[in-house]
Amino acid sequence: MSCDHKKCSCDCKKSKHTCYETLPTKVKKCDPIIHPTQHRVVEQTEVVIIPEVHPSHTTYVNNQVVRRVHSYPQSESVEERTEYESVVENGNGNNGGGYYGGRRRGWSWI
């Protein structure tokens, strides 16, 4: 095989080596090699909020007891009575021990 210097990219004229021509690369298409499927799991979570209302009520009962306390205060008093008598002695020492108008007059112990 001879070197066509017009197509050859080497510098054959200056060199003493053999020139090789580069042909276009052949491409051969083969059947595909099928690998096992890689399984991928992607989880997605959805949060659903459900309001649940539990009402409660507290009643405060304020009781009032009205207690009526009756009192009966007892007051006391002292009354001093003084009775005045005029006695006339009759001289026999009995201090007027006689009767006057049907009533006894004077002190019996004096």
Side-chain angles (χ1 to χ4, degrees):
M1 209 172 171
S2 66
C3 183
D4 185 4
H5 291 291
K6 294 179 183 172
K7 292 181 181 177
C8 187
S9 59
C10 67
D11 197 7
C12 299
K13 298 175 194 173
K14 298 178 186 173
S15 152
K16 302 270 185 204
H17 71 279
T18 310
C19 181
Y20 295 98
E21 185 179 347
T22 305
L23 295 174
T25 307
K26 285 180 154 185
V27 176
K28 179 181 174 186
K29 188 171 182 184
C30 296
D31 290 336
I33 299 173
I34 307 295
H35 294 278
T37 304
Q38 291 184 2
H39 185 79
R40 190 172 78 131
V41 176
V42 177
E43 285 191 30
Q44 184 176 356
T45 303
E46 177 184 23
V47 176
V48 177
I49 297 176
I50 300 173
E52 294 189 27
V53 179
H54 301 277
S56 68
H57 175 77
T58 302
T59 299
Y60 293 98
V61 177
N62 293 322
N63 295 314
Q64 182 182 39
V65 174
V66 176
R67 182 170 290 153
R68 296 172 63 183
V69 178
H70 297 273
S71 65
Y72 301 94
Q74 177 66 38
S75 63
E76 294 181 359
S77 64
V78 175
E79 187 176 303
E80 300 286 337
R81 290 190 177 180
T82 305
E83 190 174 313
Y84 294 98
E85 289 185 345
S86 294
V87 178
V88 178
E89 277 192 27
N90 59 11
N92 61 6
N94 69 1
N95 290 330
Y99 287 88
Y100 179 76
R103 294 187 318 211
R104 185 176 164 95
R105 304 279 295 171
W107 301 99
S108 61
W109 62 88
I110 300 179

